[in-house]
Amino acid sequence: MTDLLVLGGSGRTGIHVLAQAAERGHRVRALVRDPSAVHAPAGVELIQGTPANIDDIRRAAQGTQAVVSVLNNARASDNPWAKPVSPPMFMTDAARNTLTVMAEQGIRRIALTSSQGAGDDWARLNPLVKAFINLSNIKAGFTDHTGVDHVVRASDTDWTLARAVALTDRPATGPLHAADPGTTAPERWINRADLARFFLDAVDEETWIRSAPLVWNARG
């Protein structure tokens, strides 16, 4: 039973991480801005704070053994041209803070949300997709994901970056596929509930360490 620190637990993927981790018997702590707004399962400890503040992470990480970060660089809506509401490099700064705290407290395992096209996977994207990203406000998120990619790869931790394809709120379906970028063509979608399962499987089974696989749901 691993003691987990979850960052982004109030988000649309994070709520699935909290629920599934509790179902597995993990002792879970989540750092959230407003605990009163989070409908957490019984047994999940909510700590008020923000990953932008390293001292908040220090408090929340005490006694934990692994970190799951499902933070995102948010926009006002899912519309690609919606105004960004997160600081420009929110995820990167949070990852840097988290890695610093992990080093201080002897925590080695971290699994984080990434995106298809982040880091060196950008070169594999279709030119039309690249143009769309660069013209829309999605670009801020991609820039931030790439920053996370660089910071995490430079760390001395057992990291996993889950490069998710387009996320949906459909119910969990499985099966979920994961593969190193460039080895196979992924499908277009992944359900947030299934992505949460990938994170917990990766931590529980110690898989995909120091890897950045693409993850997706099978068609249908």
Side-chain angles (χ1 to χ4, degrees):
M1 187 164 62
T2 301
D3 293 303
L4 290 177
L5 170 60
V6 178
L7 304 178
S10 62
R12 287 182 287 176
T13 302
I15 57 174
H16 293 292
V17 174
L18 297 184
Q20 293 180 31
E23 287 174 4
R24 295 185 186 207
H26 289 297
R27 287 175 289 183
V28 185
R29 189 178 296 148
L31 180 65
V32 296
R33 291 180 184 276
D34 183 4
S36 67
V38 181
H39 300 289
V44 173
E45 182 184 4
L46 300 178
I47 303 294
Q48 186 171 17
T50 169
N53 185 322
I54 194 169
D55 287 330
D56 289 346
I57 299 177
R58 287 188 175 108
R59 287 189 297 109
Q62 288 283 343
T64 61
Q65 297 174 319
V67 179
V68 174
S69 176
V70 284
L71 298 169
N72 73 315
N73 192 300
R75 300 188 307 278
S77 74
D78 286 337
N79 186 304
W81 281 270
K83 182 180 178 180
V85 296
S86 296
M89 298 299 282
F90 170 68
M91 294 185 296
T92 303
D93 291 340
R96 187 178 291 109
N97 286 342
T98 302
L99 292 165
T100 297
V101 171
M102 289 174 64
E104 293 172 353
Q105 299 188 14
I107 304 167
R108 290 207 52 81
R109 189 71 173 105
I110 183 169
L112 309 94
T113 300
S114 186
S115 174
Q116 182 181 21
D120 60 7
D121 196 46
W122 177 260
R124 300 183 183 93
L125 291 184
N126 181 292
L128 291 177
V129 173
K130 290 181 181 179
F132 173 74
I133 292 169
N134 284 328
L135 288 171
S136 70
N137 283 332
I138 295 176
K139 182 178 180 180
F142 272 82
T143 301
D144 204 357
H145 274 305
T146 295
V148 171
D149 194 284
H150 291 162
V151 167
V152 169
R153 287 176 183 275
S155 72
D156 181 26
T157 59
D158 295 332
W159 54 266
T160 301
L161 288 163
R163 287 181 171 169
V165 295
L167 290 162
T168 78
D169 290 316
R170 298 168 186 166
T173 59
L176 184 145
H177 294 284
D180 290 318
T183 60
T184 188
E187 297 290 347
R188 294 179 59 193
W189 309 103
I190 183 168
N191 306 324
R192 287 181 168 87
D194 289 315
L195 179 59
R197 176 165 54 87
F198 173 84
F199 282 120
L200 294 172
D201 286 347
V203 170
D204 289 345
E205 299 167 14
E206 298 185 355
T207 53
W208 297 105
I209 291 176
R210 301 188 72 82
S211 298
L214 288 170
V215 289
W216 70 93
N217 285 113
R219 186 182 296 274

